[in-house]
Amino acid sequence: MPATERVTTELAVAGQTRLTPYRLGLIEYTNVAPLTENLALPAGVTLSQGVPSEMNAALLAGQVDLANISVLEFIRHADQFSALPDFSVSVLGAVYSVNLFHRRPWEELQGGRIALTSQSATSVGLLEVLLRESGLGAQLVRAEGEATALLNAGFDGVLRIGDSALREWYAVTGPIGEDLSMLALPHHKDGVTVTDLAQRWYQLTGHPFVFAVWAYRKDRPPPRELLLALRAARRAGLGRLGEISGRHAQKLGLPQRVVQHYLWNFRYHLEAPDRAGLLRFAQLHVPDHAPLIFE
Ligand SMILES: C=C(O[C@@H]1C=C(C(=O)O)C=C[C@H]1O)C(=O)O
């Protein structure tokens, strides 16, 4: 083997250079913005973005090497994926953007038809667990559209996540004045209840809920430079929540203080309480899952 080819191969093997780019996928929801808006991509790393179900599919198809994906997809494919040990989108209590919109009381949803967003996997699994734990059976069907429009079209419940869920929660419950504590934000108005699934999870288990982890294909672990860049981006973003929430509030048409509380409320690492919640969800929804590897 000629010397130049050998050196290139050795460097590639050593991980110091990559003959093929390392492909990063990131969900583009507002709740991931504090972790992504200050990301300086290292040389040789490419970025693609989309909604959770698109990132789930891209990682599974080998179109990206590392992505923040729905935790349920990580659990389902734990034989193929590992996850970074210190990244997540988690929350303890209300999340304000994983919502079931409904008119009948939760306890009366038995036998009802519930429209599901196609953008998420985890929140669908969470809804199934919460309904089952309440002894309720409902017909879950994929249907896109604005929550109150789908309720008016005859659905008994509508599951929405991400930016649209946050906007639609506020459309139902707002406007929210300064006199209201951010810890007492409303979840019912004009006959529509907005059940926050993360809040119900907390009431059921006492744990945080992990919506997303940073998962990678076991055969394509991330380069050290990318890990350092992701951590630096999070430090920078968490230090600029006011600025980031101001920009996203304008985009969402929401008060800046509401978006800043929304972002401040997330847990972006993967600490012991978050892992306890993640393992509990895995036990309840995918009891025969492969061992979950965080490294
Ligand atoms: C809490 C949220 O987090 C998102 C929810 C996800 C899911 O349900 O699959 C995946 C990624 C997260 O960024 C949200 O989008 O509202």
Side-chain angles (χ1 to χ4, degrees):
M1 179 189 292
T4 48
E5 186 178 328
R6 190 177 65 248
V7 167
T8 305
T9 305
E10 282 161 0
L11 282 177
V13 168
Q16 291 169 28
T17 59
R18 288 188 178 276
L19 300 179
T20 54
Y22 193 82
R23 302 159 302 170
L24 172 66
L26 288 174
I27 287 165
E28 53 195 350
Y29 283 163
T30 293
N31 62 57
V32 184
L35 281 67
T36 57
E37 291 199 353
N38 294 273
L39 176 61
L41 279 184
V45 177
T46 61
L47 174 64
S48 54
Q49 290 186 279
V51 297
S53 49
E54 291 168 340
M55 289 299 102
N56 301 343
L59 189 65
L60 207 52
Q63 293 160 352
V64 295
D65 302 304
L66 165 70
N68 65 324
I69 64 167
S70 304
V71 74
L72 184 52
E73 290 308 313
F74 168 63
I75 295 165
R76 283 175 174 153
H77 302 286
D79 56 327
Q80 300 176 59
F81 302 154
S82 296
L84 298 186
D86 59 337
F87 278 85
S88 78
V89 174
S90 304
V91 72
L92 176 60
V95 66
Y96 308 104
S97 62
V98 180
N99 299 317
L100 186 74
F101 296 78
H102 52 102
R103 289 197 172 102
R104 284 160 43 187
W106 174 274
E107 295 71 23
E108 296 176 21
L109 286 173
Q110 173 60 32
R113 280 178 75 235
I114 296 179
L116 301 178
T117 172
S118 60
Q119 294 190 3
S120 160
T122 300
S123 55
V124 175
L126 174 55
L127 176 63
E128 290 170 345
V129 165
L130 293 173
L131 288 171
R132 189 179 69 224
E133 293 296 315
S134 299
L136 299 172
Q139 185 190 359
L140 307 184
V141 295
R142 292 284 182 190
E144 291 301 341
E146 195 267 334
T148 43
L150 288 167
L151 289 175
N152 294 339
F155 282 99
D156 300 293
V158 181
L159 172 64
R160 305 279 287 163
I161 74 160
D163 293 4
S164 54
L166 182 67
R167 249 197 327 265
E168 290 171 43
W169 158 74
Y170 193 81
V172 168
T173 62
I176 294 171
E178 282 278 4
D179 56 331
L180 198 61
S181 155
M182 299 305 278
L183 299 178
L185 292 178
H187 281 84
H188 183 88
K189 192 172 179 184
D190 300 337
V192 176
T193 298
V194 185
T195 293
D196 187 308
L197 297 194
Q199 178 68 8
R200 270 199 89 91
W201 168 262
Y202 174 67
Q203 288 161 347
L204 175 72
T205 67
H207 290 312
F209 191 79
V210 179
F211 285 96
V213 290
W214 271 238
Y216 60 90
R217 303 176 64 82
K218 290 183 188 283
D219 58 352
R220 291 275 288 167
R224 181 173 177 275
E225 304 88 338
L226 178 55
L227 286 181
L228 298 182
L230 287 168
R231 291 177 185 150
R234 176 174 51 197
R235 274 195 302 277
L238 293 181
R240 298 188 178 106
L241 282 190
E243 174 197 321
I244 292 172
S245 53
R247 275 202 308 279
H248 284 262
Q250 200 159 18
K251 184 183 75 172
L252 294 167
L254 298 176
Q256 188 270 344
R257 72 185 185 286
V258 169
V259 178
Q260 180 157 337
H261 175 76
Y262 171 65
L263 294 179
W264 166 87
N265 186 54
F266 279 100
R267 298 168 58 82
Y268 287 118
H269 296 72
L270 188 58
E271 297 171 290
D274 310 302
R275 293 191 188 203
L278 191 163
L279 290 172
R280 185 78 184 103
F281 178 58
Q283 285 164 355
L284 285 168
H285 198 58
V286 193
D288 57 349
H289 64 80
L292 307 181
I293 306 299
F294 302 98
E295 59 186 8

